[in-house]
Structure formats: C-alpha cells, structure tokens
Amino acid sequence: MDFLQQDIMYLPGVGPRRKDILSKELGINTFGDLLEHYPYKYVDRTKVYTISELTPDMAFVQIVGEILSFEETTLSPRKKRLVAHFSDGTGVCDLVWFNGVKYVRESLHARKKYVVFGKPGVFNGRFQFTHPDIDEADKIQLNDMGMQPYYNTTEAMKRAGLTSRTIEKLTKTLIGKMTTPLAETLPPFITQRLHLVSRDEAVRKIHYPKTTDDVERAKMRLKFEELFYVQLNILRYASDHRRKYRGYVFKHVGDQFNWFYSHNLHFELTGAQKRVMHEIRADMKSGRQMNRLLQGDVGSGKTLVALMSMLIAIDNGYQACIMAPTEILAEQHLQTIRSFLKDMRIRVELLTGIVKGKRRQAVLDGLIRGEVHILVGTHAIIEDNVQFRRLGLAVIDEQHRFGVAQRARLWTKSENPPHILVMTATPIPRTLAMTIYGDLDVSVIDELPPGRKPVVTIHKYDDQMTSLYQGIRDQINKGRQVYIVYPLIKESEKNDLKNLEQGYAGLLDVFPEFHLSKVHGKMKDKEKEAEMDKFVRGETQILVATTVIEVGVNVPNASVMVILDAQRFGLSQLHQLRGRVGRGADQSYCILVTNHKLTKETRRRIDIMCDTNDGFQIAEADLKLRGPGDLEGTQQSGIAFDLKIADIARDGQIVQLARDEAQKIIDADPTCSNPDYQMLWDRLQVLRNTNINWAAIS
C-alpha cells in the first residue's frame, strides 16, 4: 500500500479514539491527510530571550532556565493552581497552570534545565507565563527549532488532548517515517521554469521551516500545484465540451431583430451593451455551443441584451427561454419582455407553478408546435413534460440559485444543447469567476445607462431615527416611495419576525398620513404578491420587508432604501438591496442603520458601502473579508472549495499563473493523449477520484 494511504490510526500517538476525532473534526483519515493539514501560522523559535529582556508587550518568546520551586494553591474542591518559580540567572518569573496540575507536577522537576515558550504577562509586578510549552533542554537543540508551526484545532480535539502542539508532534513523527522522498506531482518543465521547489521539500518545509523564506517557497509550490490542477480540470472539461458539442449556427440577424432595433428601442445602447452583443453574436454564428456568463450590476441592462440575443435565435427559426429563480422575478421578466416587444408578432408565455390547467396546457401545446417563441419561467421549465419544437437559446438568470443538475436538464430540451447565456447581478471577482465559472466565457456590462445617478449611501446610528423619519417624510412628500428592510436572515429566527411586526406597528404610528405594505418570507405567496403589487402600483408609499425583496422588484419611483441593523448583512447582500433603488431619474438614497457597537470588520463593510457603488470593488472586498466558501452563491454553484492551502481571495496572482500554465497544456495536448503530459493527466485522474468536488459549471 502507498505510504500516504495508510490509516492514520497506525501512526504512533493516534490509535482508534484519536483517529475517530481527527476524522470527524478535520477529515483526516490517512497519513497523506495529516500531511495536508497545513499550519495556519508560525512563531520564530530561533531566538532565546533572557528574563531581564522581557517586556509586557512581547508576543511569544522562549527562555531557558530552571525551576527553583513549586507552589500549589487550592482554588475550589476541584480546582487547583500550580506556580513554578523559574530563573535563568538574570531574573525570576512564574510559570502558571490551572489545568492538568497533577500531570504537570509529576512531569517537571526542580533544578532541571527547561526551554519555556509562551506569551509573557505581568501579575503582581512579576512576569508570568500561563500554560506555556515546556521541553527538557537536553532533549531539544535550540539552534534547530526554526519556526514553530501552529495548526487549527477544534474544541472536541482539545478535549481529547489533540492540541496544536500534539498535531505538530504527530506530523514530526510522520515526517520522520518518510524514508524516501515524496513522488513529484509536477513535471520538470513547469517546476524549473517557475523556480518551484520539489513537492518533497515543500511538504517537509511547510511543517518544519527554519526561516520565513522556507515558508514562502513551500507555500508558493503547494498553492500553485493546488490551483494548477483545479484550472487544468476546468479547462480540460471546457475543451472537451467544445470539441464534443456543436452549436446551432445562427447565420443571420433578421427581420425581428432589425424591427425591434429600429422601432422599439427608444434609446441608445451603452458601449458595454454593444460590446457584449458583438461577443454573443460571434459565439452564436461560430458553430460551437455558446456558454457565456453575463455579469453586470443591477440596472445595467442585462435583460435587454438577453432579449436581443433571443431575437437572433427567433430570426434563425429557433425558440428561446429564460429561467428565473422566483415567480416574482419570472413575472417581472415577462412584463419587461412584452413591453419591449410591443406590437411585434412574437408570442411570449409564462410557465411557473401558478400557471395551471387549460392555460398551462395551451402553453405546452404552443411550445411543441413552435408557436411560442419565448418562454419565461422558473424551474418549472425543466420539468419532463415541457418540450420545445426547436430550443436554440436558454438564458439563466441569477444562476447561483440553481443546482448544476437542474441546469443540465435544459440540455435535454433540444436535439443539440442550446446556446447558454448565464446572467448574474452579483458581481463576481475575476479570480473567483476563473474558478467557479472557469469553463464559461465571461462578458461584463460595466456601464450604467445614461441619466442614472449613483445612489448616495449614508450611515446612521439607531439613536438618529427622528431625523431619518423626517428625511423619509420629505421624500414621500416629493412623490417618492421608500423601502425599509429588517434583517430576517433565516426564516426560523422568531425574534427577527417579532422585530419586523413590532417595527411595522411602530411605523404605522410614525407615519399615520401614509399607506404601508409589509412583506416577509413567512407570508403565503398570494399575500406577498398582493402587498408587493400595491407598492409597485404606488398605492402604498412605504414597503416594510425582509430580504425577500433582494432580487427582482423593480419600482423606478422608489428612491430610498433604509436597511435596519445593517451590521448583520454581508456586503453582497447590502449591495443587492441598494440595487432596488436608483432605477429612475431621481436622486436615490440608501441609509445603513446600525448600533454604536461595531466590530472592526463591520465598520469596514459599512465604509466600503458608503465609499463606492462599484459592484466589482464590493465583490472583491467581500471575497477578502469572508472567503469564497461564504460568498452567496458559491456554495450552491456546484463547486466546493476544498482547497487545503490556496486562498482564492488573496492568491489572485497565483490563480492567474496557474490558469496560464494550464492553458498552455490544453493548447499543446487538447486530446490528453500526448505522452509528454501523461504525468499530469494521471495526477488529475487521482485527484478526480478523491472526495473533492471538482464539478465544472455550465
């Protein structure tokens, strides 16, 4: 059996009980898994301080000396404190233990030389180290200590004695058993060109570096390898896909598109919209299936680009569909598309859960006969009984709300897979897009239509509500409408629901002269839609809601978004909510209300929102603050970021380098059959057979 595949239970110091905990808490089952549990930080153990050099503001330090005497105090029937008075000849300090007192007292001896490592504090005028690391001086070589690694552990692990120090010792034991070098996983033509250390050296030095340079070189090698194989897998998948699947060829732009452009489009497209249309047009006539991601902030005109793409499909004798994540959003798309196509002989129909009976059957019959040109709907579109005559283009809106399997079912609706256009108003940082949507070509609408004024974002504290209410009153008196959002993050949070209900009742008292609507996720769909509808029609001036309005409500007359307890929202969510206003020609405002107790990170989020309206800047900041696994959408999108050491947020340059190198391999060996690259394909196969979710997106 391969050394790295051996059961972790058989490593000295582990055994069955610890193996269960390591497996449950960290997924460590084999020797190889332990080697890939990398340290999260290092502390320099190369310097020895004297007690006389200590200062209270020092971080971790080590001193060498001997224990003069012990002092044991009983704090309660089951709690003791042990103090060892320790000296190195330049002064005296105390070593203090509150836990494991019996074990410590039995294992340490007075007048014996020890190396003590910990953070110095001051108590009663004397330096003390609480629960320090302590080793017998004759059992370690000080000049061999180098940088001490620190490993992530959990409470359950600590209870079982599996501290960072224990993991360090287990890893040291394991590396001591590695009598032959680890097999190389990258070919020499990559490692030599990029000056990467060998895999064996990287793994040994990531756990036991002597210097910070050792750490950096080991990290670079391991991060590159991890990201390189992710990118190689994505690009190999995309390359295979392009070779296997021919796309429908939409040769010409015809009557429907030209009529729409000349007669129904009453404004000039932005430069960004024109550029994206050229990219989509080139895909559609290329003979290969389009798989394109269209990114653009709320209000940038993605739906119009999607509609024009659908008209090209219709001009070439095909049908199109657009799939949205909610019924409200689907109905909004239907209204938008029908108003754009006014007086044109194009049949646009809706298919959602509420379309039933004869009406539903009429839509299904129209699809199969080719009489329905554009179908707008929710995931109802991918049900088995929905069949098209000739589906040529499928548009997927806010695609992170759909699973990979759901999206793949769209392909079965046509003899060839239709062209796919994926739209998102959640701006995705470039490095993340390269990984989550690495097999899609990316188009970006980075320009808002002319006449749109940027939303002014203001931070207020919750003791400034009186002036805020007056500002709301002034806006409504000018004929505007207002959203007030409460943070019902999870539908099960009863207190939040109570807050919304109480807040709504309070607002009725504050604004007796206005009409209010209320919307939250616990309401029945019909109630919700009726309340939303009142607001859309202008019958109510204030919509009190939870984040159910985050996606899809379009009320150009609404000019104020008030977000209460804004500290409880992530950046992307705040940005999405802000996107509900600023959709008309009037100046709009987003008011973020928080309490005074803000963490450093929360204050940074609020500052970013007040400083910029640029969704891409916000997404980059969100990625850095939260990490890719937490970003809304990445968890549902079909990629699990099971990266052991690389960080997509902070390692953007390495992501780009890895992608460039992977692209060179695909260009040189598109069919994965060249023996020069066999090592890479074999390694990729091994990785694909592990429990990592390498799912590619399309």
Side-chain angles (χ1 to χ4, degrees):
M1 183 197 261
D2 178 6
F3 175 78
L4 297 181
Q5 295 304 313
Q6 289 187 46
D7 195 318
I8 195 69
M9 180 169 76
Y10 300 114
L11 184 69
V14 179
R17 182 170 162 269
R18 280 183 164 179
K19 183 231 162 126
D20 284 348
I21 291 164
L22 285 169
S23 177
K24 201 176 290 176
E25 297 296 307
L26 297 176
I28 293 175
N29 296 295
T30 65
F31 288 1
D33 293 338
L34 181 61
L35 283 182
E36 288 187 346
H37 183 56
Y38 300 119
Y40 70 92
K41 72 169 184 180
Y42 302 86
V43 174
D44 190 351
R45 292 289 300 264
T46 55
K47 182 165 171 54
V48 177
Y49 289 83
T50 62
I51 293 172
S52 63
E53 290 176 305
L54 298 181
T55 61
D57 58 349
M58 280 180 165
F60 288 85
V61 298
Q62 65 187 351
I63 55 176
V64 181
E66 55 184 44
I67 292 172
L68 304 176
S69 62
F70 291 97
E71 192 182 316
E72 205 171 299
T73 312
T74 301
L75 302 175
S76 69
R78 300 183 64 182
K79 194 91 174 162
K80 290 185 175 182
R81 180 179 69 181
L82 177 66
V83 178
H85 304 299
F86 187 84
S87 175
D88 65 353
T90 72
V92 177
C93 67
D94 291 338
L95 315 180
V96 185
W97 291 269
F98 296 95
N99 301 322
V101 166
K102 184 170 180 285
Y103 169 77
V104 173
R105 184 68 190 84
E106 286 170 0
S107 57
L108 300 181
H109 307 283
R111 300 295 168 191
K112 191 165 185 178
K113 207 167 189 184
Y114 291 101
V115 177
V116 171
F117 180 73
K119 191 172 185 348
V122 178
F123 183 71
N124 284 344
R126 182 185 277 190
F127 282 103
Q128 71 170 30
F129 292 80
T130 305
H131 287 275
D133 285 346
I134 189 160
D135 295 283
E136 292 177 28
D138 57 1
K139 288 194 178 166
I140 64 170
Q141 292 175 294
L142 280 171
N143 60 0
D144 198 37
M145 288 294 284
M147 313 284 290
Q148 179 167 2
Y150 276 73
Y151 296 86
N152 280 317
T153 56
T154 65
E155 286 307 312
M157 288 172 66
K158 286 172 190 162
R159 286 197 296 274
L162 284 164
T163 61
S164 171
R165 195 73 195 277
T166 318
I167 300 290
E168 181 193 345
K169 286 174 179 169
L170 291 174
T171 309
K172 196 164 206 166
T173 302
L174 176 55
I175 287 176
K177 289 168 77 76
M178 284 164 41
T179 51
T180 55
L182 288 173
E184 188 48 84
T185 46
L186 290 173
F189 63 81
I190 289 181
T191 54
Q192 287 167 14
R193 186 170 67 247
L194 301 181
H195 307 291
L196 300 173
V197 299
S198 70
R199 186 159 199 272
D200 184 74
E201 185 182 339
V203 168
R204 290 175 194 270
K205 286 193 172 166
I206 198 80
H207 292 290
Y208 292 101
K210 292 282 194 306
T211 64
T212 52
D213 187 56
D214 284 349
V215 174
E216 291 312 311
R217 288 169 70 83
K219 276 186 179 175
M220 177 63 194
R221 157 63 205 236
L222 295 169
K223 285 179 176 185
F224 172 82
E225 178 181 333
E226 197 166 55
L227 293 167
F228 170 76
Y229 278 109
V230 169
Q231 294 297 335
L232 187 65
N233 183 67
I234 290 167
L235 293 173
R236 182 201 58 80
Y237 169 87
S239 170
D240 282 359
H241 181 92
R242 286 190 181 111
R243 277 200 329 278
K244 266 185 216 163
Y245 297 104
R246 304 302 299 154
Y248 294 120
V249 179
F250 296 163
K251 283 182 184 168
H252 63 281
V253 173
D255 295 343
Q256 302 289 8
F257 184 98
N258 290 326
W259 172 272
F260 172 78
Y261 199 83
S262 306
H263 296 83
N264 285 26
L265 194 61
H266 303 302
F267 50 85
E268 183 73 14
L269 293 178
T270 65
Q273 285 174 313
K274 287 177 181 172
R275 184 186 69 240
V276 169
M277 275 311 303
H278 282 304
E279 290 166 353
I280 290 170
R281 178 81 187 96
D283 282 351
M284 286 177 151
K285 64 181 180 184
S286 69
R288 65 181 180 85
Q289 186 211 10
M290 174 170 77
N291 269 295
R292 188 164 284 280
L293 171 68
L294 176 56
Q295 286 184 261
D297 250 336
V298 171
S300 60
K302 296 183 299 299
T303 308
L304 176 58
V305 166
L307 173 59
M308 291 166 75
S309 306
M310 290 191 248
L311 291 174
I312 294 172
I314 293 164
D315 274 335
N316 285 272
Y318 288 83
Q319 295 160 292
C321 70
I322 179 165
M323 188 162 83
T326 65
E327 291 189 352
I328 288 173
L329 196 49
E331 287 183 22
Q332 196 163 295
H333 278 317
L334 180 77
Q335 288 165 11
T336 303
I337 289 169
R338 279 184 172 166
S339 67
F340 267 132
L341 299 177
K342 196 166 179 251
D343 300 329
M344 291 179 67
R345 298 177 67 181
I346 290 178
R347 185 173 164 191
V348 186
E349 293 289 357
L350 179 73
L351 194 67
T352 65
I354 57 169
V355 180
K356 294 188 167 76
K358 285 182 182 173
R359 187 177 157 207
R360 187 183 190 85
Q361 195 54 51
V363 172
L364 296 179
D365 292 345
L367 281 173
I368 204 86
R369 289 199 293 263
E371 294 160 3
V372 172
H373 302 102
I374 297 174
L375 181 66
V376 182
T378 54
H379 55 269
I381 289 178
I382 56 176
E383 288 170 8
D384 290 340
N385 64 342
V386 180
Q387 293 298 326
F388 293 78
R389 183 158 177 256
R390 290 179 96 193
L391 178 63
L393 170 66
V395 180
I396 302 166
D397 193 19
E398 289 305 334
Q399 83 118 34
H400 62 262
R401 305 289 178 103
F402 298 103
V404 176
Q406 284 179 307
R407 293 192 299 274
R409 285 177 65 184
L410 274 172
W411 289 24
T412 63
K413 302 291 177 188
S414 204
E415 54 193 302
N416 271 0
H419 292 297
I420 302 279
L421 182 65
V422 169
M423 301 197 300
T424 180
T426 308
I428 302 156
R430 208 172 49 84
T431 52
L432 197 56
M434 260 190 256
T435 308
I436 302 187
Y437 303 110
D439 62 322
L440 301 182
D441 298 310
V442 179
S443 290
V444 178
I445 302 181
D446 48 10
E447 215 179 317
L448 286 176
R452 287 276 176 96
K453 293 176 182 165
V455 178
V456 173
T457 304
I458 301 162
H459 176 211
K460 281 190 178 284
Y461 291 107
D462 50 15
D463 55 7
Q464 299 174 297
M465 295 305 283
T466 307
S467 67
L468 174 58
Y469 291 150
Q470 188 52 49
I472 289 172
R473 194 170 272 110
D474 292 345
Q475 284 290 310
I476 296 174
N477 287 332
K478 286 179 186 171
R480 317 273 184 267
Q481 288 167 282
V482 177
Y483 296 101
I484 299 180
V485 176
Y486 281 81
L488 182 56
I489 308 294
K490 292 197 176 105
E491 297 297 349
S492 60
E493 289 180 16
K494 288 181 183 163
N495 285 345
D496 282 348
L497 203 51
K498 199 167 109 190
N499 289 348
L500 181 133
E501 298 289 3
Q502 287 174 345
Y504 179 72
L507 289 166
L508 288 172
D509 291 338
V510 174
F511 299 110
E513 71 271 41
F514 300 135
H515 297 290
L516 281 69
S517 288
K518 176 178 64 176
V519 175
H520 58 76
K522 287 283 185 189
M523 294 164 73
K524 291 195 171 88
D525 284 346
K526 278 192 176 162
E527 289 177 286
K528 224 183 325 188
E529 278 160 31
E531 289 291 294
M532 287 265 207
D533 212 38
K534 281 190 210 165
F535 189 67
V536 170
R537 289 202 307 268
E539 291 171 22
T540 54
Q541 288 80 46
I542 299 173
L543 177 61
V544 182
T546 61
T547 53
V548 291
I549 61 155
E550 184 186 333
V551 171
V553 186
N554 184 15
V555 184
N557 191 48
S559 65
V560 181
M561 166 64 69
V562 179
I563 304 172
L564 300 170
D565 285 331
Q567 72 274 7
R568 292 181 56 193
F569 295 85
L571 265 177
S572 287
Q573 212 170 19
L574 290 172
H575 182 62
Q576 285 281 343
L577 286 167
R578 176 168 63 185
R580 298 298 106 216
V581 295
R583 302 169 86 88
D586 302 311
Q587 179 61 63
S588 291
Y589 302 89
C590 175
I591 317 295
L592 307 176
V593 182
T594 70
N595 55 33
H596 282 275
K597 292 179 188 166
L598 297 182
T599 64
K600 197 171 159 189
E601 187 183 298
T602 306
R603 193 168 290 283
R604 178 131 186 270
R605 277 208 303 272
I606 301 293
D607 288 347
I608 290 164
M609 285 296 296
C610 293
D611 290 345
T612 182
N613 280 284
D614 186 322
F616 288 94
Q617 273 187 38
I618 287 165
E620 289 283 357
D622 203 20
L623 182 61
K624 287 195 169 96
L625 283 170
R626 297 205 282 164
D630 294 329
L631 280 185
E632 186 184 355
T634 60
Q635 296 293 41
Q636 303 103 303
S637 68
I639 270 227
F641 285 96
D642 196 3
L643 298 175
K644 300 282 195 290
I645 190 166
D647 179 332
I648 285 173
R650 292 171 182 84
D651 296 324
Q653 286 181 308
I654 307 178
V655 174
Q656 186 65 61
L657 179 65
R659 189 173 182 84
D660 292 345
E661 290 298 321
Q663 189 64 60
K664 285 176 193 168
I665 304 299
I666 296 295
D667 292 345
D669 186 16
T671 57
C672 311
S673 55
N674 188 327
D676 292 348
Y677 304 104
Q678 195 56 47
M679 171 194 197
L680 296 172
W681 307 127
D682 290 346
R683 176 67 178 162
L684 193 58
Q685 192 57 46
V686 168
L687 290 169
R688 286 175 67 84
N689 289 337
T690 64
N691 59 359
I692 297 175
N693 180 356
W694 292 71
I697 309 305
S698 63

